[in-house]
Amino acid sequence: MKRRNVIKSLTMLPFAGSIVAKAATTYTPAVAPPAAKRDLFKELGVTPVINASVTMTFLSGSLMLPEVLEAINSTSHDFANMFELQDKVGAKIAEMLHCEAAMVTSGAACAMLLGTAACITGTDAEKIKMLPNLPGPRAEVIMQKSHRYLFDQAVSTTGAKIIEVDGAAEMAQAINNNTVMALFFNAAEKSSITHEDFLKVAKARNIPTFLDAAADVPPVENLFKFQKMGFDLVTFSGGKMIRGPQSAGLLFGRKDLITAARLNHSPHEAPIGRPMKVNKEEMFGMYAALKSYIERDHKKEWEDWLQRAKQIGGKLEALQTVKTKTVVDPGPANAFPSLFVTWDQSKIKITPKDVQTALKDGTPSIVTNSKGDSLVVGVVLLRPDQIDIVAGKVHSILQKASAV
């Protein structure tokens, strides 16, 4: 994940019923798990990892909150009609997000596929059945050339063809009778079209717009910002900073498009989204996670992250020539603080990349990042009991290298 070395201001942003105990309105950090009778990590030979990086799928996303685990465990003992459950959970999520409709998907990539499918098929049962092998010209999805990325394969999986454009004028010219959707990748490093102009061009030709904002909270306001701008469909990952089940995601926006997306999804038996089913526990868990995230004291959470960085930095700066600074990634993805650590490599004879490798290969395994001459230590995904562990391991590696 690309990170930018930009110091940002360290200030931060300023439904009836519940399936779980009342969600805490203050920040609830992840806690150390209770002692288990059976250690499945050990039994299977899987290495537990301390994530001092960012939310990455290959690192299993983030750690679920206690209220999410409670939601999963408390609903695992009974069956449910999945059509009814998606109806009820979707309605509550839409209420929380102040939008027309919503659904739980198997991650943001699934949401992209279902959103594209919805724009192609609508509620036409025959089209839904035939997708991705519809007769006639291929459906086309507009994207900025600078927004192309690995995950747009979810779009082409529906059979749609991606049309690259550069600038608003070229976008307008590219729209034709085969155009079904326009996709905006919110975390793209460069855009030739602003959000506003993108929406203006698409709406002038009545083309549905989709915004992929998978990793773009915090701030919490982003959950509401883009639909207010006018995007017809928006997706966020559920298993990143919202801290729901890793394989869950959110798709929300226009009611007619969400209805069509659901027809292309499980539990319907034959559509393109059937292999991407979401189980009932994930739906309950995603609801609980979103409710907790929206109600959280985000200012307190931010202050806690800054204190973590200060705590680790204070221990490391006890070593000669070591300097630390808290850096806030400008986002929109991963817009939270991390600790950048530098040292005089003529005195502490090890590079940041070598420290990164030593941490990863150590016990416990700790995943960090490096950027140029800096070791980058993520603090937002650490359990409280892991803060001193990370500080101690980095300190030990640097101290040993200073004695060489």
Side-chain angles (χ1 to χ4, degrees), residues 369-389:
N369 293 304
S370 59
K371 182 179 178 65
D373 290 332
S374 298
L375 176 72
V376 183
V377 180
V379 298
V380 302
L381 298 175
L382 299 177
R383 298 195 318 248
D385 63 302
Q386 294 173 339
I387 297 169
D388 284 337
I389 294 173

Side-chain angles (χ1 to χ4, degrees), residues 206-229:
N206 200 31
I207 301 299
T209 51
F210 189 117
L211 182 112
D212 173 13
D216 298 357
V217 288
V220 64
E221 283 82 0
N222 279 358
L223 288 171
F224 310 93
K225 175 181 178 179
F226 304 108
Q227 53 172 309
K228 288 179 180 178
M229 279 187 180

